[in-house]
């Protein structure tokens, strides 16, 4: 039987005796506080939080959040919150993936939610353990983060916001799995913020129930006693190396941290007091909705007290191995983009079970149409051919059946070789 639960704001969390009587009594009451839709206020990285989700049994009239006690999958729709049966283990539909991506772009343009969508994809995939072979026990990108039991993990505080933002898109495109939707949103957010194109593939299968969620404690912390060792412990478990750790950390170029939620950062800075989105928090970079290499530059310089530097951020320039890559990315944005795109794609595939096994690619290959004919490319000279010479070569090439999009058929070359052989033979006879 479904349990009806009331979503309350913090100011509503203290009730009068009359209110408690209406809600059914304090003894059986469970409260779920509402979550602010300041979606751009958190980066993708795990930040611990002491806030805990609780529940409150209430009457139908005042309830608009529904959680099934047996399958506590938080589901958001335009009519409120509800539970649905777990999705079947099937691949996502390619056409629906493309359409969902366009809807995600519109969402990003209106809500400025790039950081929290990146974080959602990270935290769904970041539970992977390479030492466990069995799916889904190994964790990873399997859509398990949609369930309440995992949303309650301290490192996932606030990610209910991201789920609420994406749920209307999931409702619209039922042929897209949650696992794919989370990773699609994460990669699209990077690209739309000015970051590199991520070489993604899709077809991830969803877990079916909350009992398949990983245990708490697999995600990184922001302020451990030994930051560098902690980062390696967590990311090495996923099968990632030092270069990938540093490259992925560069995603902190986006987002803000709020002390009332994570315990880190300032309540407000000159860069965050006016938003966009809900104002406040402390960002890692000045332009915290632009994906570039500013994160590495700002940490290296350490000249602006209004910019956040966590212990795990500082470790990138303190640890000798990390520092090699951090220094490189601070000087070379192109190198950072290249390494980040590869690392992000790798992370998004961790632990996933694909159907079909090779995955689904929704982006056309840039060379899918074949290489265009460029006459100068086939010239042995060092100087560029004149336009008239290019046209002459092109005309001769097309006269024997070639074209910019169609190579010569092999029989033309065979005929030419035969003619040359016959001429050589006749020449030899005449010479004798």
């Amino acid at each position: 039987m479904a349990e009806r639960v009331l979503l309350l704001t913090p100011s509503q969390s203290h009730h009068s005796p009359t209110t408690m009587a209406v809600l059914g009594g304090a003894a059986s009451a469970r409260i779920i506080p509402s979550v602010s839709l300041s979606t751009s206020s958190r980066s993708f990285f795990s930040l611990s939080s002491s806030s805990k989700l609780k529940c409150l049994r209430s009457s139908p009239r005042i309830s608009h959040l529904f959680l099934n006690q047996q399958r506590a999958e938080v589901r958001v729709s335009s009519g409120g919150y509800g539970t649905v049966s777990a999705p079947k283990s099937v691949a996502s539909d390619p056409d629906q993936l493309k359409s969902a991506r366009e809807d995600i772009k519109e969402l990003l343009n209106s809500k400025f939610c790039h950081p929290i969508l990146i974080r959602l994809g990270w935290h769904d995939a970041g539970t992977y353990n390479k030492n466990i072979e069995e799916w889904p026990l190994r964790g990873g990108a399997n859509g398990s983060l949609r369930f309440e039991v995992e949303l309650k993990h301290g490192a996932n505080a606030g990610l209910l916001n991201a789920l609420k933002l994406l749920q209307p898109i999931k409702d619209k495109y039922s042929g897209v799995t949650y696992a794919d939707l989370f990773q699609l949103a994460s990669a699209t957010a990077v690209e739309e913020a000015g970051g590199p194109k991520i070489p993604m593939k899709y077809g991830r299968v969803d877990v079916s129930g909350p009992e398949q969620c990983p245990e708490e404690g697999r995600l990184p912390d922001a302020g451990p006693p030994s930051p560098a060792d902690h980062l390696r412990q967590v990311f090495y478990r996923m099968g990632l190396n030092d270069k990938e750790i540093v490259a992925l950390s560069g995603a902190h170029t986006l987002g803000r941290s709020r002390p009332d939620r994570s315990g880190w950062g300032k309540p407000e800075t000159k860069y965050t007091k006016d938003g966009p989105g809900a104002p406040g928090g402390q960002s890692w970079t000045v332009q915290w909705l632009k994906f570039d290499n500013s994160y590495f530059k700002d940490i290296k310089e350490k000249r602006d007290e209004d910019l956040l530097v966590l212990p795990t951020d500082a470790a990138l320039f303190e640890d000798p191995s990390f520092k090699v890559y951090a220094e490189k990315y601070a000087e070379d944005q192109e190198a950072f983009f290249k390494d980040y795109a590869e690392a992000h794609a790798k992370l998004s595939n961790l632990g996933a079970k694909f159907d079909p096994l090779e995955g689904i690619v929704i982006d056309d290959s840039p060379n899918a149409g074949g290489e265009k004919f460029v006459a100068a490319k086939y010239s042995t000279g060092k100087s560029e051919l004149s336009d008239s010479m290019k046209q002459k070569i092109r005309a001769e090439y097309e006269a024997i059946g070639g074209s910019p999009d169609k190579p010569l058929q092999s029989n033309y070359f065979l005929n030419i070789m035969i003619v040359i052989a016959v001429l050589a033979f006749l020449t030899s006879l005449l010479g004798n």
Side-chain angles (χ1 to χ4, degrees), residues 121-137:
W122 268 69
H123 283 211
D124 194 47
T127 59
Y128 175 64
N129 187 338
K130 68 177 184 180
N131 301 312
I132 302 175
E133 294 184 5
E134 184 180 351
W135 184 92
L137 294 179

Side-chain angles (χ1 to χ4, degrees), residues 108-278:
L108 291 166
N109 289 332
S110 62
K111 299 294 185 181
F112 309 106
C113 53
H114 305 68
I116 200 170
L117 294 188
I118 296 174
R119 183 169 168 248
L120 179 69
W122 268 69
H123 283 211
D124 194 47
T127 59
Y128 175 64
N129 187 338
K130 68 177 184 180
N131 301 312
I132 302 175
E133 294 184 5
E134 184 180 351
W135 184 92
L137 294 179
R138 64 194 183 208
N142 56 29
S144 63
L145 190 47
R146 71 189 189 275
F147 291 108
E148 181 195 12
V149 64
E150 191 168 344
L151 284 169
K152 288 169 62 178
H153 292 178
N156 294 328
L159 285 180
L160 179 60
N161 282 338
L163 187 62
K164 290 163 67 177
L165 288 168
L166 289 179
Q167 189 60 51
I169 298 177
K170 179 67 176 75
D171 292 339
K172 184 177 179 180
Y173 304 106
S174 59
V176 176
T177 63
Y178 277 98
D180 272 350
L181 183 62
F182 294 167
Q183 300 308 321
L184 176 65
S186 182
T188 304
V190 170
E191 295 165 9
E192 290 297 295
K197 181 71 177 177
I198 312 296
M200 298 290 291
K201 69 175 183 177
Y202 300 95
R204 296 169 186 79
V205 175
D206 280 340
V207 296
S208 58
E211 69 278 0
Q212 296 176 312
C213 291
E215 72 281 3
E216 187 168 6
R218 294 194 185 187
L219 295 170
D221 189 10
S226 301
D229 291 341
H230 175 71
L231 288 175
R232 288 193 173 94
Q233 179 183 3
V234 172
F235 285 93
Y236 282 11
R237 188 208 67 225
M238 300 182 205
L240 301 174
N241 57 35
D242 284 1
K243 181 177 77 171
E244 291 161 336
I245 292 173
V246 178
L248 290 171
S249 296
H252 266 154
T253 192
L254 301 176
R256 301 172 286 177
S257 176
R258 295 178 182 272
D260 56 326
R261 300 180 188 178
S262 67
W264 295 94
K266 297 179 179 179
E268 181 181 275
T269 71
K270 60 178 176 285
Y271 304 121
T272 65
K273 64 180 181 178
D274 297 321

